[in-house]
Structures are given as C-alpha cells and as structure tokens.
Amino acid sequence: MMRAEDFYDWHEQPRQGDILLCGVSRVIAEDRHSPPQWEALDAHFVEIDGAWNGERSLDIAAGIGLAMVVTHDCQLDKEWNQRVRALQKTGVSVEEAEAEATADTTLDRTLVVSPLVDPAELRVDPGNLRAGRIIGYLPVPAHPDQLVEECVVDLTYQCTIDRLDVVKVAAISEPARKQLRYALIQLDALRTADLGFEVEAVIGRTILKVEVPARDPLSVRIQLDDGQVIQLLQQPGSPDQDTGRSGEFFASGGAS
C-alpha cells in the first residue's frame, strides 16, 4: 500500500481516482443477498413490480457511501471538449467557447464509480490485499485529515452515477492513478493464460521472456526469440493539466 502522502494530492480538476460521496446501486435477485463488504452500501431496497414483461419484479439495492471514479480522464470531458472545438470552428474565442460549454449542464453528466469498502469484510488474505496483490481491489491508505479511513476500492462493483449529485471528498496523485489503471487492466484484460500463445500466433515468433517493471506496471515488455522486444501495453497518460473543466464539473464543493 502506498503511503498517504504519496497517494493523496488535491486538485480542483475532475480526474480518474477522485473520491466522492455519492449514491451507488445495483440490480439484485429476489432474495436480496448482499456480500458482507456490500451490506453497508445496501441500505435501501426498491422493488419495481412487473418490470420483467409484467411478470417479475426488478429489485435494486442502493445506498450512500464513498466511491472512486474509475472513468478515464479522457472520457470525463469528452463531450465538453467536442463542444468547445465545434464552437471554435464557428469563430468563437477559446474563452467564450469554454464558458458556453461549461454552462451546458447536459454535457458529460455520467461517470462510473466503484465503492470503497472495509477490507475486514473481505474473505481474502489481508497482507496480499494491502499489498495490492488481490485482483479486483485497490488498497487505499487513511487520509491525513481523516477524510477517508484505510479501505479498498472494490472494482468488482461498478455503477453509473450523475456527477451533479455528488460531493468530492478527496483526490489522488498521478502515481496512485497509475495503480488504479493497472488494477483495472488486471481485472478486465490481463487474466487470460492464453494471451502469450495468441501473441505468438500473431507475430510468428516465440516469447522468451515477459517483463512487468515494478515501478511502471503498465509497461509490459515482451522479448522474442529473434532478439526483438515488443512493448505490449503503453502507459495511459492523463490529459494536459491546463485543459478541460475545473471545479464546475461537480455540483457540490469538495475538501482539501
């Protein structure tokens, strides 16, 4: 687990990894089963009668809690940037275009978040969990100002929320965002044992060695039998810090 002073870094701009106080919800079965780590989040149950072709109900569990933004930075301001570029093409100045796009509250309304949960409720080895070795979870240190307790982000629970109904509580550093991106990639894309064989079939060479640098886990180097080295995954970068919206992205104020 990263040290708190390395993990947290306040910024007004919306970024992947921002920690929000918001509502979260999920569709559930009729028995309303809640895994232990989600019981605190499943504070309310809603039953929509006849939602399944008039025959079965649709059941939803919802609650309020801390959650981390997992939507990538590029997606957070996608519609806003498109509107700014479109306005500039009509001869509007950059400042006027950004002001007009910011005033349109329909742009980029949704984002995807994963809740922060109590690691004690997870049935996994606590040492491996704190070290970030359990796929699907990102360890989060306690905030220096006690805004966030030591916990983990449960990436297996993801839901779409409206950005105008949240409170930004804390923000994280670029090194912490790199860990989040790697955890997301591990969960969604790097869990197949057939990957190496597929790469060999495509390039027609044998893989001798695969390196994942500890300091830069998003950069995977593949050494082939003919001496060539392939960079399989490039490290996803953040957008220019001087572009995009600032604090107006969220309706509610935040904390430092």
Side-chain angles (χ1 to χ4, degrees):
M1 181 184 296
M2 294 181 65
R3 298 181 306 171
E5 54 266 37
D6 298 324
F7 189 89
Y8 293 100
D9 184 19
W10 178 258
H11 47 257
E12 292 292 339
Q13 296 83 0
R15 290 284 183 268
Q16 184 182 41
D18 285 351
I19 297 176
L20 314 175
L21 178 63
C22 61
V24 295
S25 62
R26 63 190 183 92
V27 177
I28 58 174
E30 291 181 341
D31 65 357
R32 297 185 175 182
H33 170 70
S34 297
Q37 69 271 23
W38 296 350
E39 287 183 354
L41 298 170
D42 294 345
H44 306 280
F45 295 92
V46 179
E47 181 178 335
I48 305 174
D49 293 329
W52 285 77
N53 297 322
E55 298 177 358
R56 293 168 48 198
S57 64
L58 179 65
D59 296 279
I60 299 172
I64 304 295
L66 294 178
M68 179 173 286
V69 176
V70 298
T71 303
H72 193 271
D73 295 335
C74 297
Q75 193 67 31
L76 291 176
D77 273 333
K78 184 176 182 179
E79 295 175 355
W80 186 87
N81 284 320
Q82 290 174 341
R83 178 66 62 82
V84 169
R85 288 193 292 268
L87 290 170
Q88 286 184 270
K89 289 180 179 179
T90 66
V92 176
S93 68
V94 175
E95 293 77 13
E96 292 176 328
E98 290 182 349
E100 184 172 335
T102 300
D104 187 347
T105 58
T106 67
L107 301 179
D108 304 300
R109 280 291 292 266
T110 61
L111 60 155
V112 179
V113 299
S114 288
L116 277 56
V117 302
D118 183 353
E121 299 293 345
L122 294 168
R123 298 166 183 170
V124 298
D125 179 77
N128 286 328
L129 186 64
R130 284 176 55 85
R133 299 192 189 103
I134 306 296
I135 291 178
Y137 302 99
L138 176 72
V140 176
H143 193 281
D145 297 328
Q146 300 181 334
L147 299 175
V148 180
E149 296 182 355
E150 183 177 318
C151 58
V152 293
V153 182
D154 190 342
L155 299 174
T156 67
Y157 186 149
Q158 296 186 13
C159 65
T160 302
I161 65 172
D162 192 315
R163 66 175 177 84
L164 296 188
D165 192 32
V166 306
V167 176
K168 184 172 177 177
V169 174
I172 66 176
S173 65
E174 186 60 29
R177 272 191 294 278
K178 289 181 181 179
Q179 288 196 350
L180 170 60
R181 292 168 189 151
Y182 182 57
L184 288 167
I185 290 174
Q186 275 190 310
L187 177 66
D188 295 332
L190 292 182
R191 300 181 66 183
T192 171
D194 298 330
L195 178 60
F197 297 104
E198 292 176 3
V199 172
E200 288 183 347
V202 170
I203 63 180
R205 308 300 308 187
T206 299
I207 296 175
L208 296 181
K209 185 177 182 181
V210 177
E211 297 177 313
V212 181
R215 294 185 178 181
D216 189 9
L218 292 179
S219 179
V220 181
R221 293 168 55 86
I222 298 178
Q223 182 177 336
L224 306 178
D225 58 356
D226 63 353
Q228 295 187 70
V229 176
I230 294 178
Q231 190 95 353
L232 179 62
L233 292 174
Q234 293 287 352
Q235 176 180 305
S238 296
D240 191 330
Q241 299 295 311
D242 295 328
T243 62
R245 277 178 288 191
S246 59
E248 295 90 355
F249 184 86
F250 300 115
S252 304
S256 57

PDB file of all heavy atoms in Angstrom, residues 1-2 7 131-132 137-139 155 173-186 214 217-218:
ATOM      1  N   MET A   1       0.843  -1.200   0.000  1.00  0.00           N
ATOM      2  CA  MET A   1       0.000   0.000   0.000  1.00  0.00           C
ATOM      3  C   MET A   1       0.880   1.252   0.000  1.00  0.00           C
ATOM      4  O   MET A   1       1.861   1.323   0.732  1.00  0.00           O
ATOM      5  CB  MET A   1      -0.919   0.017   1.227  1.00  0.00           C
ATOM      6  CG  MET A   1      -1.850   1.219   1.284  1.00  0.00           C
ATOM      7  SD  MET A   1      -2.846   1.263   2.790  1.00  0.00           S
ATOM      8  CE  MET A   1      -3.826  -0.218   2.617  1.00  0.00           C
ATOM      9  N   MET A   2       0.513   2.235  -0.827  1.00  0.00           N
ATOM     10  CA  MET A   2       1.257   3.486  -0.868  1.00  0.00           C
ATOM     11  C   MET A   2       1.070   4.273   0.420  1.00  0.00           C
ATOM     12  O   MET A   2       0.047   4.160   1.098  1.00  0.00           O
ATOM     13  CB  MET A   2       0.794   4.343  -2.054  1.00  0.00           C
ATOM     14  CG  MET A   2       1.100   3.779  -3.419  1.00  0.00           C
ATOM     15  SD  MET A   2       0.527   4.885  -4.751  1.00  0.00           S
ATOM     16  CE  MET A   2       1.564   6.325  -4.486  1.00  0.00           C
ATOM     17  N   PHE A   7      -0.118   8.987  -1.868  1.00  0.00           N
ATOM     18  CA  PHE A   7      -1.366   8.563  -2.504  1.00  0.00           C
ATOM     19  C   PHE A   7      -2.303   9.735  -2.798  1.00  0.00           C
ATOM     20  O   PHE A   7      -2.908   9.805  -3.861  1.00  0.00           O
ATOM     21  CB  PHE A   7      -2.075   7.549  -1.600  1.00  0.00           C
ATOM     22  CG  PHE A   7      -3.266   6.884  -2.232  1.00  0.00           C
ATOM     23  CD1 PHE A   7      -3.115   5.724  -2.967  1.00  0.00           C
ATOM     24  CD2 PHE A   7      -4.545   7.409  -2.071  1.00  0.00           C
ATOM     25  CE1 PHE A   7      -4.212   5.103  -3.551  1.00  0.00           C
ATOM     26  CE2 PHE A   7      -5.648   6.803  -2.649  1.00  0.00           C
ATOM     27  CZ  PHE A   7      -5.484   5.640  -3.399  1.00  0.00           C
ATOM     28  N   ALA A 131      -1.132  -5.247  -0.018  1.00  0.00           N
ATOM     29  CA  ALA A 131      -0.032  -5.138  -0.980  1.00  0.00           C
ATOM     30  C   ALA A 131      -0.534  -4.977  -2.408  1.00  0.00           C
ATOM     31  O   ALA A 131       0.271  -4.798  -3.330  1.00  0.00           O
ATOM     32  CB  ALA A 131       0.868  -6.362  -0.880  1.00  0.00           C
ATOM     33  N   GLY A 132      -1.856  -5.021  -2.603  1.00  0.00           N
ATOM     34  CA  GLY A 132      -2.409  -4.846  -3.941  1.00  0.00           C
ATOM     35  C   GLY A 132      -2.284  -6.068  -4.818  1.00  0.00           C
ATOM     36  O   GLY A 132      -2.316  -5.967  -6.040  1.00  0.00           O
ATOM     37  N   TYR A 137      -9.239  -5.359  -6.441  1.00  0.00           N
ATOM     38  CA  TYR A 137      -9.244  -4.436  -5.313  1.00  0.00           C
ATOM     39  C   TYR A 137      -8.022  -3.520  -5.350  1.00  0.00           C
ATOM     40  O   TYR A 137      -6.922  -3.953  -5.696  1.00  0.00           O
ATOM     41  CB  TYR A 137      -9.262  -5.206  -3.994  1.00  0.00           C
ATOM     42  CG  TYR A 137     -10.435  -6.141  -3.864  1.00  0.00           C
ATOM     43  CD1 TYR A 137     -10.283  -7.501  -4.129  1.00  0.00           C
ATOM     44  CD2 TYR A 137     -11.697  -5.672  -3.521  1.00  0.00           C
ATOM     45  CE1 TYR A 137     -11.362  -8.360  -4.036  1.00  0.00           C
ATOM     46  CE2 TYR A 137     -12.777  -6.521  -3.427  1.00  0.00           C
ATOM     47  CZ  TYR A 137     -12.612  -7.872  -3.689  1.00  0.00           C
ATOM     48  OH  TYR A 137     -13.679  -8.718  -3.611  1.00  0.00           O
ATOM     49  N   LEU A 138      -8.224  -2.260  -4.981  1.00  0.00           N
ATOM     50  CA  LEU A 138      -7.141  -1.285  -4.896  1.00  0.00           C
ATOM     51  C   LEU A 138      -7.038  -0.806  -3.453  1.00  0.00           C
ATOM     52  O   LEU A 138      -7.987  -0.202  -2.927  1.00  0.00           O
ATOM     53  CB  LEU A 138      -7.405  -0.094  -5.823  1.00  0.00           C
ATOM     54  CG  LEU A 138      -6.381   1.049  -5.738  1.00  0.00           C
ATOM     55  CD1 LEU A 138      -5.056   0.607  -6.371  1.00  0.00           C
ATOM     56  CD2 LEU A 138      -6.911   2.309  -6.415  1.00  0.00           C
ATOM     57  N   PRO A 139      -5.909  -1.041  -2.766  1.00  0.00           N
ATOM     58  CA  PRO A 139      -5.761  -0.570  -1.385  1.00  0.00           C
ATOM     59  C   PRO A 139      -5.674   0.946  -1.312  1.00  0.00           C
ATOM     60  O   PRO A 139      -5.014   1.590  -2.133  1.00  0.00           O
ATOM     61  CB  PRO A 139      -4.462  -1.237  -0.925  1.00  0.00           C
ATOM     62  CG  PRO A 139      -3.698  -1.516  -2.181  1.00  0.00           C
ATOM     63  CD  PRO A 139      -4.729  -1.791  -3.231  1.00  0.00           C
ATOM     64  N   LEU A 155     -13.375  -2.899  -7.142  1.00  0.00           N
ATOM     65  CA  LEU A 155     -13.566  -2.687  -8.571  1.00  0.00           C
ATOM     66  C   LEU A 155     -14.544  -3.672  -9.194  1.00  0.00           C
ATOM     67  O   LEU A 155     -14.960  -3.490 -10.340  1.00  0.00           O
ATOM     68  CB  LEU A 155     -12.215  -2.774  -9.294  1.00  0.00           C
ATOM     69  CG  LEU A 155     -11.171  -1.742  -8.852  1.00  0.00           C
ATOM     70  CD1 LEU A 155      -9.834  -2.031  -9.526  1.00  0.00           C
ATOM     71  CD2 LEU A 155     -11.632  -0.324  -9.170  1.00  0.00           C
ATOM     72  N   SER A 173      -3.020  11.188  -6.318  1.00  0.00           N
ATOM     73  CA  SER A 173      -1.864  11.597  -7.106  1.00  0.00           C
ATOM     74  C   SER A 173      -1.771  10.801  -8.406  1.00  0.00           C
ATOM     75  O   SER A 173      -2.468   9.801  -8.598  1.00  0.00           O
ATOM     76  CB  SER A 173      -0.587  11.383  -6.290  1.00  0.00           C
ATOM     77  OG  SER A 173      -0.399   9.992  -6.047  1.00  0.00           O
ATOM     78  N   GLU A 174      -0.876  11.228  -9.289  1.00  0.00           N
ATOM     79  CA  GLU A 174      -0.674  10.502 -10.542  1.00  0.00           C
ATOM     80  C   GLU A 174      -0.130   9.094 -10.296  1.00  0.00           C
ATOM     81  O   GLU A 174      -0.590   8.146 -10.943  1.00  0.00           O
ATOM     82  CB  GLU A 174       0.255  11.295 -11.460  1.00  0.00           C
ATOM     83  CG  GLU A 174       0.410  10.695 -12.859  1.00  0.00           C
ATOM     84  CD  GLU A 174      -0.908  10.589 -13.609  1.00  0.00           C
ATOM     85  OE1 GLU A 174      -1.815  11.405 -13.352  1.00  0.00           O
ATOM     86  OE2 GLU A 174      -1.028   9.681 -14.461  1.00  0.00           O
ATOM     87  N   PRO A 175       0.846   8.893  -9.383  1.00  0.00           N
ATOM     88  CA  PRO A 175       1.279   7.516  -9.102  1.00  0.00           C
ATOM     89  C   PRO A 175       0.141   6.624  -8.605  1.00  0.00           C
ATOM     90  O   PRO A 175       0.077   5.447  -8.956  1.00  0.00           O
ATOM     91  CB  PRO A 175       2.351   7.700  -8.026  1.00  0.00           C
ATOM     92  CG  PRO A 175       2.903   9.064  -8.283  1.00  0.00           C
ATOM     93  CD  PRO A 175       1.718   9.878  -8.709  1.00  0.00           C
ATOM     94  N   ALA A 176      -0.758   7.180  -7.811  1.00  0.00           N
ATOM     95  CA  ALA A 176      -1.901   6.396  -7.333  1.00  0.00           C
ATOM     96  C   ALA A 176      -2.842   6.068  -8.484  1.00  0.00           C
ATOM     97  O   ALA A 176      -3.414   4.977  -8.541  1.00  0.00           O
ATOM     98  CB  ALA A 176      -2.643   7.162  -6.246  1.00  0.00           C
ATOM     99  N   ARG A 177      -3.012   7.021  -9.421  1.00  0.00           N
ATOM    100  CA  ARG A 177      -3.857   6.755 -10.592  1.00  0.00           C
ATOM    101  C   ARG A 177      -3.271   5.650 -11.455  1.00  0.00           C
ATOM    102  O   ARG A 177      -3.993   4.855 -12.060  1.00  0.00           O
ATOM    103  CB  ARG A 177      -4.052   8.031 -11.419  1.00  0.00           C
ATOM    104  CG  ARG A 177      -5.235   8.858 -10.973  1.00  0.00           C
ATOM    105  CD  ARG A 177      -5.554   9.953 -11.988  1.00  0.00           C
ATOM    106  NE  ARG A 177      -4.487  10.936 -12.057  1.00  0.00           N
ATOM    107  CZ  ARG A 177      -4.359  11.938 -11.205  1.00  0.00           C
ATOM    108  NH1 ARG A 177      -5.223  12.071 -10.214  1.00  0.00           N
ATOM    109  NH2 ARG A 177      -3.378  12.803 -11.319  1.00  0.00           N
ATOM    110  N   LYS A 178      -1.944   5.591 -11.535  1.00  0.00           N
ATOM    111  CA  LYS A 178      -1.307   4.514 -12.295  1.00  0.00           C
ATOM    112  C   LYS A 178      -1.648   3.161 -11.672  1.00  0.00           C
ATOM    113  O   LYS A 178      -1.913   2.192 -12.389  1.00  0.00           O
ATOM    114  CB  LYS A 178       0.206   4.716 -12.322  1.00  0.00           C
ATOM    115  CG  LYS A 178       0.677   5.872 -13.192  1.00  0.00           C
ATOM    116  CD  LYS A 178       2.190   5.986 -13.173  1.00  0.00           C
ATOM    117  CE  LYS A 178       2.669   7.153 -14.017  1.00  0.00           C
ATOM    118  NZ  LYS A 178       4.155   7.288 -13.988  1.00  0.00           N
ATOM    119  N   GLN A 179      -1.638   3.099 -10.339  1.00  0.00           N
ATOM    120  CA  GLN A 179      -2.008   1.851  -9.676  1.00  0.00           C
ATOM    121  C   GLN A 179      -3.463   1.486  -9.956  1.00  0.00           C
ATOM    122  O   GLN A 179      -3.788   0.319 -10.171  1.00  0.00           O
ATOM    123  CB  GLN A 179      -1.782   1.966  -8.169  1.00  0.00           C
ATOM    124  CG  GLN A 179      -0.317   1.958  -7.755  1.00  0.00           C
ATOM    125  CD  GLN A 179      -0.139   1.693  -6.262  1.00  0.00           C
ATOM    126  OE1 GLN A 179      -1.107   1.691  -5.498  1.00  0.00           O
ATOM    127  NE2 GLN A 179       1.095   1.472  -5.847  1.00  0.00           N
ATOM    128  N   LEU A 180      -4.340   2.496  -9.963  1.00  0.00           N
ATOM    129  CA  LEU A 180      -5.750   2.253 -10.263  1.00  0.00           C
ATOM    130  C   LEU A 180      -5.905   1.704 -11.680  1.00  0.00           C
ATOM    131  O   LEU A 180      -6.636   0.731 -11.904  1.00  0.00           O
ATOM    132  CB  LEU A 180      -6.548   3.549 -10.100  1.00  0.00           C
ATOM    133  CG  LEU A 180      -7.996   3.518 -10.612  1.00  0.00           C
ATOM    134  CD1 LEU A 180      -8.810   2.461  -9.876  1.00  0.00           C
ATOM    135  CD2 LEU A 180      -8.632   4.895 -10.486  1.00  0.00           C
ATOM    136  N   ARG A 181      -5.223   2.314 -12.653  1.00  0.00           N
ATOM    137  CA  ARG A 181      -5.335   1.855 -14.045  1.00  0.00           C
ATOM    138  C   ARG A 181      -4.819   0.434 -14.207  1.00  0.00           C
ATOM    139  O   ARG A 181      -5.404  -0.378 -14.931  1.00  0.00           O
ATOM    140  CB  ARG A 181      -4.576   2.814 -14.964  1.00  0.00           C
ATOM    141  CG  ARG A 181      -5.223   4.184 -15.057  1.00  0.00           C
ATOM    142  CD  ARG A 181      -4.317   5.183 -15.725  1.00  0.00           C
ATOM    143  NE  ARG A 181      -4.860   6.532 -15.620  1.00  0.00           N
ATOM    144  CZ  ARG A 181      -4.132   7.629 -15.584  1.00  0.00           C
ATOM    145  NH1 ARG A 181      -2.812   7.550 -15.637  1.00  0.00           N
ATOM    146  NH2 ARG A 181      -4.700   8.809 -15.497  1.00  0.00           N
ATOM    147  N   TYR A 182      -3.728   0.130 -13.515  1.00  0.00           N
ATOM    148  CA  TYR A 182      -3.189  -1.221 -13.604  1.00  0.00           C
ATOM    149  C   TYR A 182      -4.162  -2.219 -12.985  1.00  0.00           C
ATOM    150  O   TYR A 182      -4.365  -3.321 -13.513  1.00  0.00           O
ATOM    151  CB  TYR A 182      -1.832  -1.292 -12.897  1.00  0.00           C
ATOM    152  CG  TYR A 182      -1.193  -2.655 -12.979  1.00  0.00           C
ATOM    153  CD1 TYR A 182      -0.936  -3.251 -14.212  1.00  0.00           C
ATOM    154  CD2 TYR A 182      -0.856  -3.346 -11.825  1.00  0.00           C
ATOM    155  CE1 TYR A 182      -0.357  -4.501 -14.287  1.00  0.00           C
ATOM    156  CE2 TYR A 182      -0.272  -4.605 -11.892  1.00  0.00           C
ATOM    157  CZ  TYR A 182      -0.027  -5.176 -13.127  1.00  0.00           C
ATOM    158  OH  TYR A 182       0.546  -6.421 -13.195  1.00  0.00           O
ATOM    159  N   ALA A 183      -4.778  -1.854 -11.859  1.00  0.00           N
ATOM    160  CA  ALA A 183      -5.756  -2.735 -11.216  1.00  0.00           C
ATOM    161  C   ALA A 183      -6.950  -2.979 -12.130  1.00  0.00           C
ATOM    162  O   ALA A 183      -7.483  -4.095 -12.205  1.00  0.00           O
ATOM    163  CB  ALA A 183      -6.217  -2.131  -9.887  1.00  0.00           C
ATOM    164  N   LEU A 184      -7.384  -1.929 -12.851  1.00  0.00           N
ATOM    165  CA  LEU A 184      -8.498  -2.074 -13.790  1.00  0.00           C
ATOM    166  C   LEU A 184      -8.117  -2.968 -14.956  1.00  0.00           C
ATOM    167  O   LEU A 184      -8.911  -3.805 -15.407  1.00  0.00           O
ATOM    168  CB  LEU A 184      -8.939  -0.699 -14.298  1.00  0.00           C
ATOM    169  CG  LEU A 184      -9.669   0.185 -13.288  1.00  0.00           C
ATOM    170  CD1 LEU A 184      -9.772   1.618 -13.808  1.00  0.00           C
ATOM    171  CD2 LEU A 184     -11.071  -0.376 -13.013  1.00  0.00           C
ATOM    172  N   ILE A 185      -6.892  -2.812 -15.460  1.00  0.00           N
ATOM    173  CA  ILE A 185      -6.439  -3.639 -16.571  1.00  0.00           C
ATOM    174  C   ILE A 185      -6.327  -5.094 -16.134  1.00  0.00           C
ATOM    175  O   ILE A 185      -6.716  -6.010 -16.862  1.00  0.00           O
ATOM    176  CB  ILE A 185      -5.083  -3.126 -17.111  1.00  0.00           C
ATOM    177  CG1 ILE A 185      -5.281  -1.790 -17.826  1.00  0.00           C
ATOM    178  CG2 ILE A 185      -4.464  -4.127 -18.076  1.00  0.00           C
ATOM    179  CD1 ILE A 185      -3.993  -1.137 -18.260  1.00  0.00           C
ATOM    180  N   GLN A 186      -5.798  -5.321 -14.932  1.00  0.00           N
ATOM    181  CA  GLN A 186      -5.709  -6.680 -14.410  1.00  0.00           C
ATOM    182  C   GLN A 186      -7.083  -7.330 -14.338  1.00  0.00           C
ATOM    183  O   GLN A 186      -7.265  -8.495 -14.685  1.00  0.00           O
ATOM    184  CB  GLN A 186      -5.096  -6.675 -13.018  1.00  0.00           C
ATOM    185  CG  GLN A 186      -3.576  -6.675 -12.984  1.00  0.00           C
ATOM    186  CD  GLN A 186      -3.085  -6.916 -11.574  1.00  0.00           C
ATOM    187  OE1 GLN A 186      -3.514  -6.261 -10.629  1.00  0.00           O
ATOM    188  NE2 GLN A 186      -2.180  -7.861 -11.417  1.00  0.00           N
ATOM    189  N   ALA A 214       8.351  -3.232 -11.926  1.00  0.00           N
ATOM    190  CA  ALA A 214       7.637  -2.960 -10.674  1.00  0.00           C
ATOM    191  C   ALA A 214       7.274  -1.487 -10.541  1.00  0.00           C
ATOM    192  O   ALA A 214       6.235  -1.134  -9.994  1.00  0.00           O
ATOM    193  CB  ALA A 214       8.483  -3.401  -9.485  1.00  0.00           C
ATOM    194  N   PRO A 217       4.113  -0.699 -13.822  1.00  0.00           N
ATOM    195  CA  PRO A 217       3.465  -1.956 -14.164  1.00  0.00           C
ATOM    196  C   PRO A 217       2.599  -1.922 -15.407  1.00  0.00           C
ATOM    197  O   PRO A 217       2.170  -2.967 -15.882  1.00  0.00           O
ATOM    198  CB  PRO A 217       2.627  -2.260 -12.915  1.00  0.00           C
ATOM    199  CG  PRO A 217       2.389  -0.933 -12.291  1.00  0.00           C
ATOM    200  CD  PRO A 217       3.634  -0.138 -12.557  1.00  0.00           C
ATOM    201  N   LEU A 218       2.307  -0.738 -15.963  1.00  0.00           N
ATOM    202  CA  LEU A 218       1.513  -0.669 -17.177  1.00  0.00           C
ATOM    203  C   LEU A 218       2.368  -0.857 -18.424  1.00  0.00           C
ATOM    204  O   LEU A 218       1.856  -0.941 -19.525  1.00  0.00           O
ATOM    205  CB  LEU A 218       0.767   0.668 -17.261  1.00  0.00           C
ATOM    206  CG  LEU A 218      -0.333   0.848 -16.227  1.00  0.00           C
ATOM    207  CD1 LEU A 218      -0.979   2.212 -16.377  1.00  0.00           C
ATOM    208  CD2 LEU A 218      -1.382  -0.231 -16.370  1.00  0.00           C
TER     209      LEU A 218
END
